[in-house]
């Protein structure tokens, strides 16, 4: 709803806790252990994820971003968010929209981050120019 927002990118998004594979708990534990989330317990992270999965699920709001552009990105080997879920999120978006599936990429784009950065940068340069108002 904020008109200052000129576009959106959803990376490895498109699922809720109830839809996700058993890898979600492993993923949450990994991001806590690697200190990507500081000052939060596993139980609190799981509570927040459940809330986000229901109240803040991207598919519930992605269509409202139009007419601003949306990019949906996923990895073909993501064990947390399946390509089916990524496709469903893309399908829920309104035009203008783009979908990028990165071959052999897992949920955190291990060894595929340069490809991810390049794809997102290219999309930003094409769709979110600093000269656009």
């Amino acid at each position: 709803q904020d008109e200052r927002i000129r576009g959106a990118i959803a990376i490895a998004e498109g699922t809720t806790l109830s839809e996700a594979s058993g890898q979600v708990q492993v993923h949450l534990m990994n991001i806590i252990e690697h200190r990507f989330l500081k000052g939060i317990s596993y139980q609190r992270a799981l509570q927040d994820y459940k809330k986000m999965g229901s109240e803040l699920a991207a598919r519930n709001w992605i269509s409202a971003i139009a007419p601003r552009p949306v990019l949906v990105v996923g990895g073909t080997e993501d064990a947390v968010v399946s390509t089916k879920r990524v496709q469903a999120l893309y399908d829920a978006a309104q035009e203008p929209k783009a979908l990028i599936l990165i071959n052999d990429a897992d949920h955190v784009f291990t060894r595929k981050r340069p490809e991810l950065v390049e794809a997102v940068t290219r999309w930003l340069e094409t769709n979110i120019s600093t000269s656009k108002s």
Side-chain angles (χ1 to χ4, degrees), residues 33-106:
E33 287 177 2
H34 288 93
R35 302 184 195 275
F36 293 121
L37 297 176
K38 294 183 180 186
I40 189 169
S41 69
Y42 170 76
Q43 288 303 321
R44 172 65 192 276
L46 195 56
Q47 275 181 326
D48 288 352
Y49 192 88
K50 286 178 183 179
K51 180 180 180 181
M52 290 184 336
S54 58
E55 294 176 24
L56 303 176
R59 72 170 161 258
N60 294 339
W61 53 261
I62 196 163
S63 66
I65 295 170
R68 294 165 285 188
V70 172
L71 172 62
V72 178
V73 182
T76 62
E77 300 302 316
D78 189 335
V80 178
V81 180
S82 70
T83 54
K84 179 180 175 183
R85 295 288 176 200
V86 172
Q87 181 69 48
L89 182 63
Y90 171 77
D91 292 343
Q94 302 298 310
E95 294 290 344
K97 62 184 180 177
L99 172 65
I100 297 173
L101 292 174
I102 297 179
N103 287 328
D104 300 321
D106 61 14

Side-chain angles (χ1 to χ4, degrees), residues 1-8 61 64-69 133:
Q1 295 174 350
D2 188 331
E3 294 300 321
R4 295 173 295 174
I5 305 301
R6 301 206 338 242
W61 53 261
I65 295 170
R68 294 165 285 188
S133 54

